[in-house]
Amino acid sequence: MNIKTAKFVISNTDVAHCPVTDLPEYAFIGRSNVGKSTLINMITGVKGLAKTSSTPGKTQLINHFLINDNWFLVDLPGYGYATLSKEKKAKIELTITNYILKRKNLLCVFVLADSRHTVQRIDSEFMEWLATKQVPFVIVFTKADKLTKTKLMKGIEDYRAEMMKSWEELPPMYITSAVKSLGRTEILDLIEETNKGFKK
Ligand code: GTP
Ligand code: MG
């Protein structure tokens, strides 16, 4: 799929104020600083579309981006940002969970995980919660450029093995690097296929 247009639409904390639409939607979620906003910029090819930062906690709101006037990409605040106050953390978690549970046009959640890390408890708990709520999701490994190919492949193999201990079936997994534009086509293919299915 070619990206012809990518436009910022609205930011807010409340799912009730998200755009009213029947268009398909895909949300990026994961720990703070994992690279959600950067991946949105890489996929759309628009630098600076989603705000990024080298310090965690940059994205605090639900951000809607309209792509090709036909579907939405959503940048969410990261979870697990340790230095936030308890209240602020709880508020962000509520923003995320309300959004996921109430957004009827949300077709797939992209759970981002740093390809240098082992399975993080906060991610596995979040994925288990998605499964109990029957929300379709895929796993996206980020920052693949930070590892050698051998270490990357070993890391993913170990990640799969760890997941297999508690999951009967694993979700699709994608390897990405915003620096190298790795994984862009694969993610856009998935979105294109899912969009087609939605319109049937
Ligand atoms: P929050 O909004 O705070 O939850 O973070 P986020 O998940 O949106 O992360 P963000 O996109 O702001 O990126 C965090 C940092 O990681 C930035 O310094 C990015 O430049 C860097 N980064 C993101 N993706 C990649 C990647 O694929 N490769 C490399 N080398 N750095 C990346
Ligand atoms: Mg962000």
Side-chain angles (χ1 to χ4, degrees), residues 68-176:
N68 291 349
D69 293 325
N70 194 31
W71 52 278
F72 285 98
L73 269 183
V74 176
D75 193 14
L76 292 172
Y79 51 66
Y81 177 26
T83 57
L84 282 185
S85 69
K86 238 185 176 177
E87 290 74 28
K88 195 128 202 208
K89 252 196 251 178
K91 202 170 160 240
I92 284 182
E93 276 168 27
L94 198 65
T95 298
I96 296 168
T97 51
N98 272 340
Y99 163 79
I100 290 173
L101 293 177
K102 295 197 177 145
R103 201 69 182 154
K104 295 247 168 0
N105 61 326
L106 176 65
L107 299 193
C108 183
V109 171
F110 289 72
V111 180
L112 275 62
D114 192 315
S115 52
R116 295 168 294 178
H117 298 163
T118 53
V119 180
Q120 302 290 298
R121 181 189 284 231
I122 195 161
D123 292 332
S124 56
E125 283 176 0
F126 179 68
M127 291 188 274
E128 274 157 30
W129 178 80
L130 287 175
T132 63
K133 300 296 176 190
Q134 297 184 308
V135 178
F137 69 94
V138 300
I139 299 176
V140 176
F141 295 105
T142 62
K143 310 191 186 184
D145 56 280
K146 292 201 181 237
L147 289 173
T148 61
K149 182 120 201 224
T150 318
K151 281 202 171 143
L152 175 67
M153 289 313 165
K154 170 83 170 66
I156 307 262
E157 211 177 281
D158 291 350
Y159 199 100
R160 280 181 174 281
E162 185 60 32
M163 290 281 290
M164 282 304 280
K165 289 182 189 167
S166 45
W167 292 76
E168 253 172 50
E169 202 187 324
L170 295 184
M173 295 184 185
Y174 296 86
I175 300 172
T176 68

Side-chain angles (χ1 to χ4, degrees), residues 5-9 23 64-72:
T5 55
K7 299 173 209 157
F8 167 73
V9 180
L23 294 176
H64 273 78
F65 302 98
L66 178 61
I67 315 299
N68 291 349
D69 293 325
N70 194 31
W71 52 278
F72 285 98

Side-chain angles (χ1 to χ4, degrees), residues 30-39 51-59 75-78 142-146 176-179:
R31 294 168 78 211
S32 260
N33 209 45
V34 71
K36 301 173 290 294
S37 304
T38 305
L39 190 63
K51 300 284 173 289
T52 66
S53 169
S54 55
T55 48
K58 178 69 182 172
T59 312
D75 193 14
L76 292 172
T142 62
K143 310 191 186 184
D145 56 280
K146 292 201 181 237
T176 68
S177 159
V179 174

